[in-house]
Amino acid sequence: MEARVRALETILTQKGLIDPQAIDAIVETYETKIGPRNGARVVAKAWAEPDFADWLRQDATEAIASLSYTGRQGEHMRAVFNDAQTHNLVVCTLCSCYPWSVLGLPPVWYKAPAYRSRAVIDPRGVLEEFGVTLSPDKKIRVWDSTAELRYLVIPERPAGTEGLDQAALADLVTRDAMIGTGLALAPEARP
């Protein structure tokens, strides 16, 4: 796939149809200004500030917008919180509705029919394929995103993070943890 993309970009550039610097700027925007780093900051703030976490529970759209993370594909948000009893998993069974403003572009697997159907039918099996093994007594709640409402999973805060500031906490939050197909990183795994 990468080779195909590079070949197509080369042909389009040679024909003068695209500007490689413009493509680089778009990619850089999605990697640094729109995307999982934004969501990670939302999660870190929720972990560090109980009042913000409460606001996020009650009106995620406004709470997230207060951090200037708004735009297409993220106009109406709901935050769902993992805890000791429940693990949340997000899917869009019809297509690939996804909160771009906080998670960036959706991963290829999120759009795949296999994930979209199996996440509902066998969420525990899907999670195990992602390397997430939960205790049998932990409930899994599957949330189906739509064009009207997108979900953000707030993973459980890892143990041993009490002394970390929000920037360090955000480093522990992965895109997959905010979809529910992963867990937040342990402090020693922080990049």
Side-chain angles (χ1 to χ4, degrees):
M1 183 63 82
E2 287 181 38
R4 288 181 187 174
V5 169
R6 270 187 256 119
L8 181 59
E9 185 177 346
T10 299
I11 291 168
L12 293 173
T13 300
Q14 288 171 348
K15 291 184 179 262
L17 298 173
I18 64 168
D19 175 1
Q21 291 177 334
I23 299 293
D24 290 345
I26 291 168
V27 169
E28 203 260 324
T29 296
Y30 275 93
E31 287 178 345
T32 63
K33 296 184 178 113
I34 301 171
R37 291 183 179 139
N38 294 347
R41 289 181 191 111
V42 171
V43 171
K45 188 171 180 72
W47 285 346
E49 298 179 16
D51 289 342
F52 183 78
D54 289 341
W55 187 15
L56 204 53
R57 279 184 181 90
Q58 294 176 16
D59 189 349
T61 303
E62 288 301 316
I64 292 168
S66 76
L67 301 175
S68 299
Y69 305 143
T70 61
R72 288 191 48 140
Q73 311 301 324
E75 297 90 351
H76 304 286
M77 296 288 301
R78 180 169 180 194
V80 292
F81 288 70
N82 287 350
D83 58 33
Q85 293 79 35
T86 306
H87 182 89
N88 295 285
L89 177 66
V90 179
V91 65
C92 177
T93 57
L94 294 177
C95 55
S96 60
C97 296
Y98 190 80
W100 292 20
S101 60
V102 289
L103 294 183
L105 298 174
V108 172
W109 55 261
Y110 186 85
K111 300 183 277 185
Y115 174 77
R116 293 182 2 231
S117 64
R118 289 196 53 239
V120 174
I121 296 166
D122 181 23
R124 199 169 294 276
V126 168
L127 289 173
E128 286 177 3
E129 288 176 17
F130 277 93
V132 177
T133 303
L134 302 173
S135 66
D137 59 330
K138 191 162 203 171
K139 178 179 146 188
I140 299 172
R141 178 111 192 242
V142 179
W143 299 89
D144 194 0
S145 285
T146 67
E148 288 80 34
L149 183 62
R150 307 284 183 352
Y151 295 91
L152 175 66
V153 173
I154 308 300
E156 289 183 86
R157 183 174 177 164
T161 60
E162 295 75 21
L164 299 180
D165 64 16
Q166 287 186 35
L169 288 171
D171 287 342
L172 303 177
V173 183
T174 65
R175 177 202 62 205
D176 289 1
M178 294 181 285
I179 297 171
T181 56
L183 303 173
L185 302 173
E188 57 273 11
R190 198 173 103 213

